[in-house]
PDB file of all heavy atoms in Angstrom:
ATOM      1  N   PRO A   8     -24.803 -24.941   6.388  1.00 97.00           N
ATOM      2  CA  PRO A   8     -25.380 -23.663   6.803  1.00 97.00           C
ATOM      3  C   PRO A   8     -24.332 -22.554   6.733  1.00 97.00           C
ATOM      4  O   PRO A   8     -23.160 -22.819   6.531  1.00 97.00           O
ATOM      5  CB  PRO A   8     -25.778 -23.945   8.259  1.00 97.00           C
ATOM      6  CG  PRO A   8     -24.752 -24.938   8.732  1.00 97.00           C
ATOM      7  CD  PRO A   8     -24.467 -25.816   7.540  1.00 97.00           C
ATOM      8  N   ARG A   9     -24.730 -21.316   6.898  1.00 96.00           N
ATOM      9  CA  ARG A   9     -23.761 -20.209   6.934  1.00 96.00           C
ATOM     10  C   ARG A   9     -23.064 -20.139   8.283  1.00 96.00           C
ATOM     11  O   ARG A   9     -21.890 -19.770   8.381  1.00 96.00           O
ATOM     12  CB  ARG A   9     -24.450 -18.874   6.655  1.00 96.00           C
ATOM     13  CG  ARG A   9     -24.910 -18.700   5.224  1.00 96.00           C
ATOM     14  CD  ARG A   9     -23.738 -18.708   4.232  1.00 96.00           C
ATOM     15  NE  ARG A   9     -22.647 -17.838   4.614  1.00 96.00           N
ATOM     16  CZ  ARG A   9     -22.600 -16.539   4.381  1.00 96.00           C
ATOM     17  NH1 ARG A   9     -23.601 -15.934   3.775  1.00 96.00           N
ATOM     18  NH2 ARG A   9     -21.557 -15.810   4.764  1.00 96.00           N
ATOM     19  N   HIS A  10     -23.792 -20.504   9.318  1.00 96.00           N
ATOM     20  CA  HIS A  10     -23.235 -20.514  10.666  1.00 96.00           C
ATOM     21  C   HIS A  10     -23.681 -21.786  11.360  1.00 96.00           C
ATOM     22  O   HIS A  10     -24.809 -22.244  11.177  1.00 96.00           O
ATOM     23  CB  HIS A  10     -23.715 -19.301  11.476  1.00 96.00           C
ATOM     24  CG  HIS A  10     -23.396 -17.989  10.850  1.00 96.00           C
ATOM     25  ND1 HIS A  10     -22.204 -17.345  11.038  1.00 96.00           N
ATOM     26  CD2 HIS A  10     -24.119 -17.203  10.010  1.00 96.00           C
ATOM     27  CE1 HIS A  10     -22.210 -16.211  10.355  1.00 96.00           C
ATOM     28  NE2 HIS A  10     -23.344 -16.108   9.718  1.00 96.00           N
ATOM     29  N   GLU A  11     -22.773 -22.346  12.175  1.00 96.00           N
ATOM     30  CA  GLU A  11     -23.102 -23.552  12.935  1.00 96.00           C
ATOM     31  C   GLU A  11     -22.406 -23.448  14.286  1.00 96.00           C
ATOM     32  O   GLU A  11     -21.192 -23.239  14.351  1.00 96.00           O
ATOM     33  CB  GLU A  11     -22.622 -24.802  12.199  1.00 96.00           C
ATOM     34  CG  GLU A  11     -22.819 -26.094  12.947  1.00 96.00           C
ATOM     35  CD  GLU A  11     -24.175 -26.714  12.703  1.00 96.00           C
ATOM     36  OE1 GLU A  11     -24.880 -26.257  11.799  1.00 96.00           O
ATOM     37  OE2 GLU A  11     -24.514 -27.676  13.417  1.00 96.00           O
ATOM     38  N   VAL A  12     -23.200 -23.570  15.326  1.00 97.00           N
ATOM     39  CA  VAL A  12     -22.648 -23.596  16.677  1.00 97.00           C
ATOM     40  C   VAL A  12     -23.122 -24.889  17.320  1.00 97.00           C
ATOM     41  O   VAL A  12     -24.323 -25.168  17.349  1.00 97.00           O
ATOM     42  CB  VAL A  12     -23.124 -22.387  17.512  1.00 97.00           C
ATOM     43  CG1 VAL A  12     -22.529 -22.452  18.913  1.00 97.00           C
ATOM     44  CG2 VAL A  12     -22.768 -21.075  16.828  1.00 97.00           C
ATOM     45  N   THR A  13     -22.188 -25.664  17.836  1.00 96.00           N
ATOM     46  CA  THR A  13     -22.551 -26.931  18.429  1.00 96.00           C
ATOM     47  C   THR A  13     -21.559 -27.284  19.536  1.00 96.00           C
ATOM     48  O   THR A  13     -20.494 -26.668  19.652  1.00 96.00           O
ATOM     49  CB  THR A  13     -22.593 -28.048  17.375  1.00 96.00           C
ATOM     50  OG1 THR A  13     -23.213 -29.207  17.929  1.00 96.00           O
ATOM     51  CG2 THR A  13     -21.200 -28.403  16.900  1.00 96.00           C
ATOM     52  N   GLU A  14     -21.915 -28.242  20.324  1.00 96.00           N
ATOM     53  CA  GLU A  14     -21.061 -28.654  21.430  1.00 96.00           C
ATOM     54  C   GLU A  14     -20.085 -29.730  20.989  1.00 96.00           C
ATOM     55  O   GLU A  14     -20.391 -30.537  20.102  1.00 96.00           O
ATOM     56  CB  GLU A  14     -21.915 -29.159  22.590  1.00 96.00           C
ATOM     57  CG  GLU A  14     -22.763 -28.057  23.214  1.00 96.00           C
ATOM     58  CD  GLU A  14     -23.519 -28.536  24.440  1.00 96.00           C
ATOM     59  OE1 GLU A  14     -23.592 -29.759  24.654  1.00 96.00           O
ATOM     60  OE2 GLU A  14     -24.037 -27.679  25.183  1.00 96.00           O
ATOM     61  N   MET A  15     -18.946 -29.743  21.611  1.00 96.00           N
ATOM     62  CA  MET A  15     -17.938 -30.736  21.260  1.00 96.00           C
ATOM     63  C   MET A  15     -18.497 -32.144  21.427  1.00 96.00           C
ATOM     64  O   MET A  15     -19.333 -32.403  22.292  1.00 96.00           O
ATOM     65  CB  MET A  15     -16.683 -30.571  22.099  1.00 96.00           C
ATOM     66  CG  MET A  15     -16.803 -30.858  23.572  1.00 96.00           C
ATOM     67  SD  MET A  15     -15.197 -30.709  24.408  1.00 96.00           S
ATOM     68  CE  MET A  15     -14.306 -32.074  23.682  1.00 96.00           C
ATOM     69  N   GLY A  16     -18.051 -33.010  20.531  1.00 96.00           N
ATOM     70  CA  GLY A  16     -18.534 -34.374  20.526  1.00 96.00           C
ATOM     71  C   GLY A  16     -19.660 -34.617  19.556  1.00 96.00           C
ATOM     72  O   GLY A  16     -19.936 -35.770  19.192  1.00 96.00           O
ATOM     73  N   GLN A  17     -20.326 -33.544  19.135  1.00 97.00           N
ATOM     74  CA  GLN A  17     -21.434 -33.685  18.202  1.00 97.00           C
ATOM     75  C   GLN A  17     -20.913 -33.863  16.775  1.00 97.00           C
ATOM     76  O   GLN A  17     -19.808 -33.427  16.424  1.00 97.00           O
ATOM     77  CB  GLN A  17     -22.342 -32.465  18.257  1.00 97.00           C
ATOM     78  CG  GLN A  17     -23.016 -32.255  19.609  1.00 97.00           C
ATOM     79  CD  GLN A  17     -23.922 -33.405  19.978  1.00 97.00           C
ATOM     80  OE1 GLN A  17     -24.792 -33.797  19.193  1.00 97.00           O
ATOM     81  NE2 GLN A  17     -23.722 -33.973  21.157  1.00 97.00           N
ATOM     82  N   GLU A  18     -21.739 -34.475  15.945  1.00 97.00           N
ATOM     83  CA  GLU A  18     -21.427 -34.601  14.521  1.00 97.00           C
ATOM     84  C   GLU A  18     -21.833 -33.325  13.792  1.00 97.00           C
ATOM     85  O   GLU A  18     -22.908 -32.777  14.052  1.00 97.00           O
ATOM     86  CB  GLU A  18     -22.165 -35.795  13.927  1.00 97.00           C
ATOM     87  CG  GLU A  18     -21.931 -35.981  12.427  1.00 97.00           C
ATOM     88  CD  GLU A  18     -22.665 -37.194  11.891  1.00 97.00           C
ATOM     89  OE1 GLU A  18     -22.243 -38.321  12.195  1.00 97.00           O
ATOM     90  OE2 GLU A  18     -23.663 -37.003  11.154  1.00 97.00           O
ATOM     91  N   VAL A  19     -20.971 -32.877  12.914  1.00 97.00           N
ATOM     92  CA  VAL A  19     -21.230 -31.679  12.131  1.00 97.00           C
ATOM     93  C   VAL A  19     -21.173 -32.041  10.651  1.00 97.00           C
ATOM     94  O   VAL A  19     -20.237 -32.737  10.217  1.00 97.00           O
ATOM     95  CB  VAL A  19     -20.167 -30.588  12.426  1.00 97.00           C
ATOM     96  CG1 VAL A  19     -20.349 -29.404  11.497  1.00 97.00           C
ATOM     97  CG2 VAL A  19     -20.249 -30.151  13.884  1.00 97.00           C
ATOM     98  N   THR A  20     -22.148 -31.594   9.891  1.00 98.00           N
ATOM     99  CA  THR A  20     -22.151 -31.830   8.445  1.00 98.00           C
ATOM    100  C   THR A  20     -22.286 -30.506   7.713  1.00 98.00           C
ATOM    101  O   THR A  20     -23.253 -29.772   7.917  1.00 98.00           O
ATOM    102  CB  THR A  20     -23.296 -32.760   8.034  1.00 98.00           C
ATOM    103  OG1 THR A  20     -23.139 -34.024   8.693  1.00 98.00           O
ATOM    104  CG2 THR A  20     -23.277 -32.987   6.529  1.00 98.00           C
ATOM    105  N   LEU A  21     -21.302 -30.222   6.872  1.00 98.00           N
ATOM    106  CA  LEU A  21     -21.318 -29.024   6.047  1.00 98.00           C
ATOM    107  C   LEU A  21     -21.631 -29.438   4.611  1.00 98.00           C
ATOM    108  O   LEU A  21     -21.166 -30.486   4.145  1.00 98.00           O
ATOM    109  CB  LEU A  21     -19.950 -28.323   6.103  1.00 98.00           C
ATOM    110  CG  LEU A  21     -19.371 -28.098   7.503  1.00 98.00           C
ATOM    111  CD1 LEU A  21     -18.036 -27.373   7.398  1.00 98.00           C
ATOM    112  CD2 LEU A  21     -20.334 -27.362   8.390  1.00 98.00           C
ATOM    113  N   ARG A  22     -22.383 -28.578   3.927  1.00 98.00           N
ATOM    114  CA  ARG A  22     -22.864 -28.936   2.599  1.00 98.00           C
ATOM    115  C   ARG A  22     -22.432 -27.933   1.553  1.00 98.00           C
ATOM    116  O   ARG A  22     -22.256 -26.742   1.849  1.00 98.00           O
ATOM    117  CB  ARG A  22     -24.384 -29.041   2.618  1.00 98.00           C
ATOM    118  CG  ARG A  22     -24.910 -30.126   3.558  1.00 98.00           C
ATOM    119  CD  ARG A  22     -26.416 -30.084   3.702  1.00 98.00           C
ATOM    120  NE  ARG A  22     -26.900 -31.162   4.551  1.00 98.00           N
ATOM    121  CZ  ARG A  22     -26.872 -31.144   5.882  1.00 98.00           C
ATOM    122  NH1 ARG A  22     -26.389 -30.091   6.527  1.00 98.00           N
ATOM    123  NH2 ARG A  22     -27.316 -32.170   6.571  1.00 98.00           N
ATOM    124  N   CYS A  23     -22.278 -28.432   0.340  1.00 98.00           N
ATOM    125  CA  CYS A  23     -21.819 -27.566  -0.754  1.00 98.00           C
ATOM    126  C   CYS A  23     -22.466 -27.985  -2.066  1.00 98.00           C
ATOM    127  O   CYS A  23     -22.498 -29.178  -2.413  1.00 98.00           O
ATOM    128  CB  CYS A  23     -20.302 -27.650  -0.886  1.00 98.00           C
ATOM    129  SG  CYS A  23     -19.634 -26.730  -2.297  1.00 98.00           S
ATOM    130  N   LYS A  24     -22.929 -26.986  -2.792  1.00 98.00           N
ATOM    131  CA  LYS A  24     -23.415 -27.191  -4.159  1.00 98.00           C
ATOM    132  C   LYS A  24     -22.501 -26.425  -5.090  1.00 98.00           C
ATOM    133  O   LYS A  24     -22.461 -25.190  -5.038  1.00 98.00           O
ATOM    134  CB  LYS A  24     -24.847 -26.697  -4.300  1.00 98.00           C
ATOM    135  CG  LYS A  24     -25.412 -26.801  -5.713  1.00 98.00           C
ATOM    136  CD  LYS A  24     -26.857 -26.315  -5.750  1.00 98.00           C
ATOM    137  CE  LYS A  24     -27.377 -26.176  -7.176  1.00 98.00           C
ATOM    138  NZ  LYS A  24     -27.274 -27.441  -7.936  1.00 98.00           N
ATOM    139  N   PRO A  25     -21.732 -27.116  -5.927  1.00 98.00           N
ATOM    140  CA  PRO A  25     -20.806 -26.406  -6.816  1.00 98.00           C
ATOM    141  C   PRO A  25     -21.539 -25.727  -7.968  1.00 98.00           C
ATOM    142  O   PRO A  25     -22.738 -25.943  -8.176  1.00 98.00           O
ATOM    143  CB  PRO A  25     -19.906 -27.533  -7.333  1.00 98.00           C
ATOM    144  CG  PRO A  25     -20.788 -28.747  -7.311  1.00 98.00           C
ATOM    145  CD  PRO A  25     -21.683 -28.571  -6.116  1.00 98.00           C
ATOM    146  N   ILE A  26     -20.821 -24.929  -8.711  1.00 97.00           N
ATOM    147  CA  ILE A  26     -21.360 -24.303  -9.909  1.00 97.00           C
ATOM    148  C   ILE A  26     -21.613 -25.391 -10.952  1.00 97.00           C
ATOM    149  O   ILE A  26     -20.762 -26.267 -11.162  1.00 97.00           O
ATOM    150  CB  ILE A  26     -20.391 -23.236 -10.445  1.00 97.00           C
ATOM    151  CG1 ILE A  26     -20.300 -22.071  -9.440  1.00 97.00           C
ATOM    152  CG2 ILE A  26     -20.832 -22.710 -11.804  1.00 97.00           C
ATOM    153  CD1 ILE A  26     -19.236 -21.042  -9.761  1.00 97.00           C
ATOM    154  N   SER A  27     -22.772 -25.324 -11.576  1.00 96.00           N
ATOM    155  CA  SER A  27     -23.136 -26.331 -12.565  1.00 96.00           C
ATOM    156  C   SER A  27     -22.104 -26.398 -13.689  1.00 96.00           C
ATOM    157  O   SER A  27     -21.675 -25.359 -14.217  1.00 96.00           O
ATOM    158  CB  SER A  27     -24.516 -25.990 -13.147  1.00 96.00           C
ATOM    159  OG  SER A  27     -24.882 -26.922 -14.145  1.00 96.00           O
ATOM    160  N   GLY A  28     -21.690 -27.612 -14.017  1.00 94.00           N
ATOM    161  CA  GLY A  28     -20.725 -27.795 -15.089  1.00 94.00           C
ATOM    162  C   GLY A  28     -19.278 -27.851 -14.631  1.00 94.00           C
ATOM    163  O   GLY A  28     -18.390 -28.216 -15.404  1.00 94.00           O
ATOM    164  N   HIS A  29     -19.037 -27.468 -13.385  1.00 95.00           N
ATOM    165  CA  HIS A  29     -17.676 -27.558 -12.850  1.00 95.00           C
ATOM    166  C   HIS A  29     -17.399 -28.992 -12.437  1.00 95.00           C
ATOM    167  O   HIS A  29     -18.211 -29.619 -11.765  1.00 95.00           O
ATOM    168  CB  HIS A  29     -17.519 -26.622 -11.649  1.00 95.00           C
ATOM    169  CG  HIS A  29     -17.389 -25.187 -12.022  1.00 95.00           C
ATOM    170  ND1 HIS A  29     -17.041 -24.212 -11.108  1.00 95.00           N
ATOM    171  CD2 HIS A  29     -17.552 -24.545 -13.207  1.00 95.00           C
ATOM    172  CE1 HIS A  29     -16.994 -23.041 -11.733  1.00 95.00           C
ATOM    173  NE2 HIS A  29     -17.302 -23.225 -13.004  1.00 95.00           N
ATOM    174  N   ASP A  30     -16.205 -29.487 -12.799  1.00 92.00           N
ATOM    175  CA  ASP A  30     -15.899 -30.878 -12.466  1.00 92.00           C
ATOM    176  C   ASP A  30     -14.857 -31.028 -11.374  1.00 92.00           C
ATOM    177  O   ASP A  30     -14.433 -32.139 -11.070  1.00 92.00           O
ATOM    178  CB  ASP A  30     -15.514 -31.666 -13.717  1.00 92.00           C
ATOM    179  CG  ASP A  30     -14.481 -30.971 -14.572  1.00 92.00           C
ATOM    180  OD1 ASP A  30     -13.871 -29.989 -14.101  1.00 92.00           O
ATOM    181  OD2 ASP A  30     -14.278 -31.403 -15.718  1.00 92.00           O
ATOM    182  N   TYR A  31     -14.436 -29.895 -10.801  1.00 95.00           N
ATOM    183  CA  TYR A  31     -13.548 -29.953  -9.641  1.00 95.00           C
ATOM    184  C   TYR A  31     -14.245 -29.306  -8.456  1.00 95.00           C
ATOM    185  O   TYR A  31     -14.875 -28.243  -8.595  1.00 95.00           O
ATOM    186  CB  TYR A  31     -12.245 -29.185  -9.893  1.00 95.00           C
ATOM    187  CG  TYR A  31     -11.276 -29.862 -10.829  1.00 95.00           C
ATOM    188  CD1 TYR A  31     -11.381 -29.682 -12.204  1.00 95.00           C
ATOM    189  CD2 TYR A  31     -10.241 -30.650 -10.334  1.00 95.00           C
ATOM    190  CE1 TYR A  31     -10.486 -30.294 -13.070  1.00 95.00           C
ATOM    191  CE2 TYR A  31      -9.336 -31.252 -11.190  1.00 95.00           C
ATOM    192  CZ  TYR A  31      -9.463 -31.073 -12.552  1.00 95.00           C
ATOM    193  OH  TYR A  31      -8.572 -31.669 -13.407  1.00 95.00           O
ATOM    194  N   LEU A  32     -14.095 -29.936  -7.288  1.00 96.00           N
ATOM    195  CA  LEU A  32     -14.667 -29.360  -6.068  1.00 96.00           C
ATOM    196  C   LEU A  32     -13.624 -29.438  -4.960  1.00 96.00           C
ATOM    197  O   LEU A  32     -12.921 -30.446  -4.816  1.00 96.00           O
ATOM    198  CB  LEU A  32     -15.946 -30.102  -5.651  1.00 96.00           C
ATOM    199  CG  LEU A  32     -16.659 -29.532  -4.426  1.00 96.00           C
ATOM    200  CD1 LEU A  32     -18.171 -29.519  -4.612  1.00 96.00           C
ATOM    201  CD2 LEU A  32     -16.271 -30.252  -3.151  1.00 96.00           C
ATOM    202  N   PHE A  33     -13.539 -28.359  -4.181  1.00 96.00           N
ATOM    203  CA  PHE A  33     -12.505 -28.224  -3.165  1.00 96.00           C
ATOM    204  C   PHE A  33     -13.141 -27.852  -1.824  1.00 96.00           C
ATOM    205  O   PHE A  33     -14.093 -27.084  -1.773  1.00 96.00           O
ATOM    206  CB  PHE A  33     -11.524 -27.103  -3.539  1.00 96.00           C
ATOM    207  CG  PHE A  33     -10.919 -27.239  -4.909  1.00 96.00           C
ATOM    208  CD1 PHE A  33     -11.612 -26.826  -6.033  1.00 96.00           C
ATOM    209  CD2 PHE A  33      -9.655 -27.763  -5.062  1.00 96.00           C
ATOM    210  CE1 PHE A  33     -11.070 -26.948  -7.304  1.00 96.00           C
ATOM    211  CE2 PHE A  33      -9.088 -27.885  -6.329  1.00 96.00           C
ATOM    212  CZ  PHE A  33      -9.794 -27.481  -7.446  1.00 96.00           C
ATOM    213  N   TRP A  34     -12.559 -28.373  -0.757  1.00 97.00           N
ATOM    214  CA  TRP A  34     -12.906 -27.951   0.604  1.00 97.00           C
ATOM    215  C   TRP A  34     -11.664 -27.332   1.251  1.00 97.00           C
ATOM    216  O   TRP A  34     -10.594 -27.932   1.254  1.00 97.00           O
ATOM    217  CB  TRP A  34     -13.370 -29.129   1.445  1.00 97.00           C
ATOM    218  CG  TRP A  34     -14.772 -29.576   1.177  1.00 97.00           C
ATOM    219  CD1 TRP A  34     -15.172 -30.645   0.434  1.00 97.00           C
ATOM    220  CD2 TRP A  34     -15.971 -28.979   1.676  1.00 97.00           C
ATOM    221  NE1 TRP A  34     -16.538 -30.731   0.421  1.00 97.00           N
ATOM    222  CE2 TRP A  34     -17.055 -29.734   1.184  1.00 97.00           C
ATOM    223  CE3 TRP A  34     -16.238 -27.884   2.499  1.00 97.00           C
ATOM    224  CZ2 TRP A  34     -18.379 -29.419   1.492  1.00 97.00           C
ATOM    225  CZ3 TRP A  34     -17.550 -27.568   2.798  1.00 97.00           C
ATOM    226  CH2 TRP A  34     -18.608 -28.338   2.287  1.00 97.00           C
ATOM    227  N   TYR A  35     -11.866 -26.114   1.799  1.00 96.00           N
ATOM    228  CA  TYR A  35     -10.800 -25.391   2.484  1.00 96.00           C
ATOM    229  C   TYR A  35     -11.242 -25.081   3.914  1.00 96.00           C
ATOM    230  O   TYR A  35     -12.430 -25.015   4.230  1.00 96.00           O
ATOM    231  CB  TYR A  35     -10.508 -24.046   1.799  1.00 96.00           C
ATOM    232  CG  TYR A  35      -9.813 -24.104   0.473  1.00 96.00           C
ATOM    233  CD1 TYR A  35     -10.526 -24.320  -0.707  1.00 96.00           C
ATOM    234  CD2 TYR A  35      -8.440 -23.902   0.379  1.00 96.00           C
ATOM    235  CE1 TYR A  35      -9.889 -24.337  -1.943  1.00 96.00           C
ATOM    236  CE2 TYR A  35      -7.796 -23.911  -0.851  1.00 96.00           C
ATOM    237  CZ  TYR A  35      -8.524 -24.136  -2.000  1.00 96.00           C
ATOM    238  OH  TYR A  35      -7.879 -24.141  -3.219  1.00 96.00           O
ATOM    239  N   ARG A  36     -10.256 -24.808   4.757  1.00 96.00           N
ATOM    240  CA  ARG A  36     -10.517 -24.330   6.114  1.00 96.00           C
ATOM    241  C   ARG A  36      -9.660 -23.086   6.335  1.00 96.00           C
ATOM    242  O   ARG A  36      -8.485 -23.051   5.959  1.00 96.00           O
ATOM    243  CB  ARG A  36     -10.142 -25.413   7.129  1.00 96.00           C
ATOM    244  CG  ARG A  36     -10.314 -25.022   8.569  1.00 96.00           C
ATOM    245  CD  ARG A  36     -10.116 -26.192   9.499  1.00 96.00           C
ATOM    246  NE  ARG A  36      -8.732 -26.651   9.552  1.00 96.00           N
ATOM    247  CZ  ARG A  36      -8.313 -27.618  10.364  1.00 96.00           C
ATOM    248  NH1 ARG A  36      -9.173 -28.220  11.178  1.00 96.00           N
ATOM    249  NH2 ARG A  36      -7.051 -27.994  10.350  1.00 96.00           N
ATOM    250  N   GLN A  37     -10.248 -22.074   6.970  1.00 94.00           N
ATOM    251  CA  GLN A  37      -9.515 -20.839   7.238  1.00 94.00           C
ATOM    252  C   GLN A  37      -9.553 -20.502   8.713  1.00 94.00           C
ATOM    253  O   GLN A  37     -10.618 -20.424   9.318  1.00 94.00           O
ATOM    254  CB  GLN A  37     -10.073 -19.676   6.430  1.00 94.00           C
ATOM    255  CG  GLN A  37      -9.250 -18.403   6.547  1.00 94.00           C
ATOM    256  CD  GLN A  37      -9.711 -17.311   5.597  1.00 94.00           C
ATOM    257  OE1 GLN A  37     -10.898 -17.166   5.320  1.00 94.00           O
ATOM    258  NE2 GLN A  37      -8.770 -16.537   5.065  1.00 94.00           N
ATOM    259  N   THR A  38      -8.376 -20.309   9.292  1.00 93.00           N
ATOM    260  CA  THR A  38      -8.250 -19.837  10.668  1.00 93.00           C
ATOM    261  C   THR A  38      -7.246 -18.692  10.702  1.00 93.00           C
ATOM    262  O   THR A  38      -6.448 -18.526   9.766  1.00 93.00           O
ATOM    263  CB  THR A  38      -7.752 -20.950  11.611  1.00 93.00           C
ATOM    264  OG1 THR A  38      -6.447 -21.377  11.155  1.00 93.00           O
ATOM    265  CG2 THR A  38      -8.692 -22.138  11.620  1.00 93.00           C
TER     266      THR A  38
END
Side-chain angles (χ1 to χ4, degrees):
Chain A
R9 289 297 311 277
H10 303 274
E11 176 88 11
V12 180
T13 192
E14 294 185 346
M15 67 177 293
Q17 297 298 308
E18 178 179 288
V19 174
T20 299
L21 311 181
R22 298 172 177 80
C23 175
K24 177 179 170 57
I26 293 172
S27 178
H29 284 190
D30 49 13
Y31 286 86
L32 183 139
F33 306 82
W34 282 101
Y35 288 83
R36 178 172 69 176
Q37 187 172 35
T38 61

